[in-house]
Amino acid sequence: MKLNQSFVLVLAALGICPIVQAQTVKPNLSKAFIQEQLDAAANQIKVLAAETPAEKFPKTFEQGEHVFSSSSWWCSGFYPGTLLYLYEGTKEKALLEKATETLTYLEKEKNNKGTHDLGFMLFCSFGNALRLTGDTLKYIPILSTGANSLASRYSPITKTIRSWDHGSWQYPVIIDNMMNLEFLTQVSKVTGDKKCYDIAVSHAETTLKNHFRKDYSSYHVIDYDKKTGKAIGKKTHQGAFDESAWARGQGWALYGYTMMYRETKKKEFLKQAQQIAKYILSNPNLPADLVPYWDFDKDKIAKSDKMYPNRDLRDVSAAALYASALLELSQYTKGTEALDYFNKAETILRSLSKAPYLAPYGQNGGYILQHSVGALPLNSEIDVPLTYADYYYVEALVRYQRLLDGEPMIKAIAK
């Protein structure tokens, strides 16, 4: 969506501005191709919208049945967020209206202090709504309250935001939590409250120290001693085994550090993102279409292990994350490195925009993409569509569309 000059000036006065970057790569996908995918995605999500109860939020579609959640589920922000991105990409006002209606059932989560996922829940939804509508009076108070709810989970001892309140962990932090830091940094810039920004930076710095192996692959869960702040356990919950590289976890890390470099301009975050990208893109187990298997180390699972009867499943949600993150990372690097990131993102977009990953119109429950994996070790959401796969795929398409339109690829609610 192009913003007219007067609107940009108004947003600038309020601290709500697009992020401007120099274009360093040459697009190979056409405007017609990108618009075709956005239009098809908009038509498909209308099928899902027609099946979604007003107060519910789509999770997945399994064995011919829809699975919905309440607003408190960690994925609740992705459906309205996808509607908003598709409104941006197609200019269809009906999509904005449906998203706005859905947000009324999500707002109460601004007071939820029992989850670290408020960035997914509130920033992907209300953050996009603020950016697209400029309605500061309506949306900034919601975002500010939610960000402070998230900040309440920060420990000055561990220097991290606690992820889970369940299980036998002392103080668990998962790599997914990197994705919720943008919520804190952006709201901090809008409100002028530096506390949330400082918490986000502290969490990212601590995660950088403790969450990564020498090859820059990421553990899923780090357990901290809540009294000393020392890392006392390095585990997985959704990967193949503790020392494996769970594919979506690598995507959370790649996206998270790319975004945190944008938010802070700290070079160590950019270097980390580059090293994570190198691990992913040079991995011998990454298929040619760049849609990864659910775990990069799935071949190391013993053939006798009956927990994994199908270890060769792809995870489209991880691929969508990679595409969006690599597009952004290409904007912060130069030369052949930037070109490689950008070309790899294009390859993923091409792969996801056709069979077997793109669902035929009217099928797949109305979800755009198929063949994602939620948590294979938990026998949860196996080879199904997932709402966050659709979100990051559409986000990547919109980012690419902006580039083609001569706009900044990355737009946020604050500089």
Side-chain angles (χ1 to χ4, degrees):
M1 168 181 285
K2 289 190 175 182
L3 301 178
N4 63 50
Q5 187 175 9
S6 61
F7 187 47
V8 169
L9 291 174
V10 170
L11 292 183
L14 293 166
I16 304 171
C17 304
I19 294 174
V20 179
Q21 303 134 306
Q23 182 173 328
T24 60
V25 291
K26 181 180 178 181
N28 295 301
L29 302 179
S30 69
K31 283 188 177 184
F33 174 84
I34 296 297
Q35 193 63 58
E36 180 182 354
Q37 309 318 313
L38 288 167
D39 290 342
N43 288 332
Q44 181 76 336
I45 207 169
K46 292 172 190 174
V47 176
L48 177 59
E51 296 292 327
T52 303
E55 74 285 0
K56 295 294 185 180
F57 298 82
K59 287 176 64 176
T60 186
F61 185 73
E62 295 184 281
Q63 298 180 345
E65 298 289 336
H66 282 280
V67 181
F68 300 107
S69 74
S70 68
S71 62
S72 63
W73 183 244
W74 75 275
C75 298
S76 57
F78 292 119
Y79 170 62
T82 305
L83 289 168
L84 288 162
Y85 268 136
L86 288 171
Y87 162 66
E88 182 175 1
T90 66
K91 314 301 187 291
E92 289 191 47
K93 290 186 178 180
L95 298 170
L96 175 61
E97 292 169 359
K98 175 57 69 174
T100 303
E101 174 189 330
T102 305
L103 293 180
T104 61
Y105 299 99
L106 184 57
E107 180 179 347
K108 61 179 174 289
E109 299 306 327
K110 67 187 179 184
N111 299 310
N112 186 345
K113 297 181 179 180
T115 178
H116 71 287
D117 284 315
L118 289 175
F120 288 136
M121 297 160 69
L122 299 178
F123 192 72
C124 293
S125 53
F126 290 99
N128 276 317
L130 172 59
R131 180 178 59 80
L132 289 168
T133 68
D135 193 339
T136 57
L137 293 177
K138 183 176 182 180
Y139 293 123
I140 286 181
I142 296 170
L143 290 164
S144 178
T145 299
N148 280 288
S149 293
L150 175 57
S152 73
R153 298 182 63 80
Y154 177 79
S155 165
I157 297 174
T158 66
K159 294 180 169 47
T160 59
I161 299 165
R162 184 183 181 109
S163 294
W164 297 328
D165 295 334
H166 60 76
S168 58
W169 315 95
Q170 270 206 49
Y171 193 99
V173 176
I174 60 177
I175 192 61
D176 319 35
N177 211 347
M178 284 297 302
M179 300 292 290
N180 293 293
L181 303 185
E182 184 176 14
F183 184 25
L184 296 177
T185 59
Q186 286 286 298
V187 170
S188 183
K189 292 172 184 179
V190 169
T191 63
D193 182 358
K194 195 169 182 289
K195 176 191 70 175
C196 287
Y197 177 90
D198 290 341
I199 286 174
V201 173
S202 176
H203 182 99
E205 290 175 340
T206 304
T207 299
L208 191 152
K209 293 176 184 176
N210 296 318
H211 241 93
F212 294 89
R213 305 180 183 92
K214 290 183 179 180
D215 63 1
Y216 292 93
S217 65
S218 172
Y219 288 97
H220 183 199
V221 190
I222 301 296
D223 196 18
Y224 291 89
D225 185 316
K226 61 184 178 182
K227 294 182 179 179
T228 67
K230 181 181 178 181
I232 56 175
K234 299 186 176 185
K235 304 290 183 179
T236 195
H237 188 61
Q238 290 167 257
F241 48 91
D242 289 341
E243 291 294 330
S244 75
W246 175 48
R248 191 164 61 252
Q250 312 316 303
W252 297 138
L254 175 64
Y255 191 114
Y257 279 100
T258 300
M259 172 273 298
M260 283 302 292
Y261 171 70
R262 178 228 302 162
E263 294 295 300
T264 67
K265 295 299 181 286
K266 288 181 175 290
K267 292 183 178 180
E268 60 265 35
F269 293 160
L270 176 59
K271 180 180 177 182
Q272 190 73 6
Q274 291 169 297
Q275 294 288 1
I276 298 166
K278 181 179 179 181
Y279 173 83
I280 293 170
L281 297 176
S282 64
N283 196 293
N285 286 335
L286 183 66
D289 64 4
L290 306 188
V291 178
Y293 297 102
W294 66 281
D295 194 297
F296 282 103
D297 295 300
K298 54 95 179 175
D299 290 339
K300 297 177 183 177
I301 302 171
K303 294 187 182 299
S304 60
D305 192 335
K306 296 181 180 179
M307 183 184 293
Y308 303 102
N310 190 348
R311 65 199 67 199
D312 293 332
L313 294 172
R314 304 292 189 95
D315 184 10
V316 162
S317 72
L321 263 175
Y322 298 171
S324 191
L326 289 169
L327 284 175
E328 179 168 9
L329 187 56
S330 75
Q331 301 293 287
Y332 309 141
T333 48
K334 298 178 181 179
T336 56
E337 184 178 23
L339 185 62
D340 184 53
Y341 296 149
F342 193 79
N343 287 345
K344 292 299 196 311
E346 288 182 326
T347 296
I348 297 172
L349 285 177
R350 287 191 188 97
S351 297
L352 298 184
S353 297
K354 61 184 179 182
Y357 308 117
L358 187 71
Y361 171 73
Q363 299 182 30
N364 202 39
Y367 288 84
I368 302 162
L369 299 178
Q370 48 195 4
H371 302 306
S372 288
V373 175
L376 194 59
L378 306 178
N379 195 30
S380 175
E381 299 174 337
I382 309 303
D383 194 21
V384 295
L386 291 170
T387 183
Y388 45 93
D390 287 0
Y391 178 88
Y392 290 107
Y393 170 65
V394 173
E395 179 180 79
L397 289 173
V398 169
R399 287 180 169 185
Y400 203 100
Q401 183 187 57
R402 292 172 186 156
L403 192 67
L404 291 173
D405 288 341
E407 299 179 357
M409 181 191 289
I410 307 302
K411 294 183 179 180
I413 65 171
K415 274 185 173 180

